[in-house]
Amino acid sequence: MQCTKHSMPNFSPRTDHLPKLISKWLHQPTKALRVPEVFIEQVEAYARLLDQGASDPSISTENKLPSQQSHSSQREKIWLGIRPSLRQLGWSILKGRENEHPMVVDYGLIETEAKSPLPQRLVEIESDLTELVRQFQPHHVALEKPFINANFASGSSSLQALGVINLVVYRQCRVFPVLLYRATWKSHLGSPKADQREVAETVQLLFDLKRLTSQVGSEAIAIAYAGFCGLGISEK
C-alpha cells in the first residue's frame, strides 16, 4: 500500500523579512477608478494636489485637459513601432500630426544573449523597453504579430516575449497595441514579399534618412508608419 504525503498549510508564515509596500497617497484607502484614457494624467495630477492638501488646485500647462490645449499640439502623436524578437527586438519612434507625413525621432535594437537563460532575457527586454517607453512616452504602439509555428521549439519563447511587450506597453502607456501582420505592413510599403534590404531601402527613401544602422530597426519604422497611417487592429 502506497502512502501519499500531503503538505500542511502554514498558519504562521514568516513575513518579517519581506519588504513592505508603502503607498504614496496620504489619504487611505485608495480605490481603482475607470476613466477615459485621455484624462488619466490630468485626473491623477488633480487628485495628488488634493491629497497634498491644496484647497484650490490648478493644473499646470502640461497637465491641462485636451480641450484646453492648442489644436495643433492636440493632433501631434508619438508612435512606438515594435518588431518583436527574443534575440533582436527592433523599435522605432515616429512623431507627427494627423494627415501629415511623420518624422523618425529614433530607432534601434534591444538585444539579448542567446546563451542566457530565458527568464534573464525576458527581464532584459522588460527593463530596456520600460526605459524606452518612459523616455519617449508614446501615445500609440504598433506591434508586428508574428506567425508562430507550433512545431518549432522557439514558439513558446516568442510568445513569452510578446507577453512581456504587452505587459510593458499597457503598464506604462495604458494603451492596447495595434497588431499588424508582416504581410500587411510590407504591403503598405509596396510589396508583401519585400525582403529586409528592400524594406530598408524603401524606408530610407520614404523618410529621407541619410544612413540606416539596422535593417531590423528599419522594419520597426515601417511597422510604426503603418500604424500611424491607420492600419492594423487594436489588441483588446
Side-chain angles (χ1 to χ4, degrees):
M1 180 176 179
Q2 186 177 6
C3 296
T4 303
K5 184 178 179 181
H6 297 278
S7 59
M8 298 296 292
N10 184 3
F11 294 104
S12 300
R14 295 184 58 84
T15 60
D16 299 342
H17 64 289
L18 297 178
K20 302 297 188 295
L21 179 63
I22 301 176
S23 175
K24 295 181 180 180
W25 294 98
L26 301 177
H27 293 75
Q28 299 291 331
T30 60
K31 183 178 181 181
L33 175 67
R34 294 179 62 86
V35 297
E37 293 179 4
V38 69
F39 300 129
I40 288 177
E41 292 183 3
Q42 289 76 30
V43 170
E44 182 179 1
Y46 193 87
R48 290 198 179 278
L49 286 174
L50 290 174
D51 188 52
Q52 294 168 7
S55 58
D56 186 19
S58 58
I59 306 303
S60 62
T61 302
E62 64 240 12
N63 289 327
K64 285 185 178 179
L65 297 178
S67 60
Q68 298 172 302
Q69 298 175 348
S70 65
H71 185 63
S72 58
S73 63
Q74 201 176 16
R75 293 172 54 199
E76 193 169 58
K77 298 297 181 182
I78 298 175
W79 276 81
L80 166 63
I82 300 178
R83 193 273 205 184
S85 171
L86 189 61
R87 185 175 66 89
Q88 283 191 328
L89 184 150
W91 61 269
S92 69
I93 297 292
L94 267 59
K95 183 177 182 180
R97 294 184 174 88
E98 187 180 354
N99 300 324
E100 293 182 4
H101 189 67
M103 63 175 289
V104 176
V105 177
D106 202 354
Y107 69 97
L109 299 175
I110 295 176
E111 299 180 276
T112 65
E113 178 58 49
K115 295 181 180 179
S116 299
L118 176 60
Q120 179 179 332
R121 300 175 76 182
L122 294 175
V123 167
E124 290 177 11
I125 291 175
E126 188 270 344
S127 177
D128 291 352
L129 189 57
T130 297
E131 183 62 31
L132 182 70
V133 171
R134 285 177 177 171
Q135 178 182 352
F136 293 104
Q137 299 182 353
H139 303 103
H140 303 284
V141 178
L143 171 64
E144 180 187 276
K145 186 175 184 178
F147 173 77
I148 298 177
N149 192 326
N151 294 325
F152 291 155
S154 61
S156 175
S157 60
S158 298
L159 284 173
Q160 291 183 68
L162 282 174
V164 169
I165 294 170
N166 275 280
L167 180 149
V168 172
V169 166
Y170 187 74
R171 182 182 63 195
Q172 299 297 326
C173 306
R174 289 294 189 270
V175 299
F176 297 99
V178 170
L179 301 180
L180 292 150
Y181 287 104
R182 178 172 288 262
T184 302
W185 65 258
K186 282 188 175 183
S187 296
H188 188 238
L189 297 181
S191 172
K193 297 182 179 180
D195 58 26
Q196 276 193 334
R197 179 185 60 82
E198 292 170 330
V199 169
E201 290 176 351
T202 303
V203 167
Q204 190 170 3
L205 291 172
L206 190 61
F207 291 95
D208 193 25
L209 301 175
K210 302 297 182 183
R211 176 173 168 268
L212 279 171
T213 58
S214 165
Q215 290 186 336
V216 175
S218 69
E219 291 186 339
I221 294 174
I223 292 167
Y225 181 54
F228 179 90
C229 293
L231 277 70
I233 301 174
S234 179
E235 184 181 66
K236 293 185 179 180

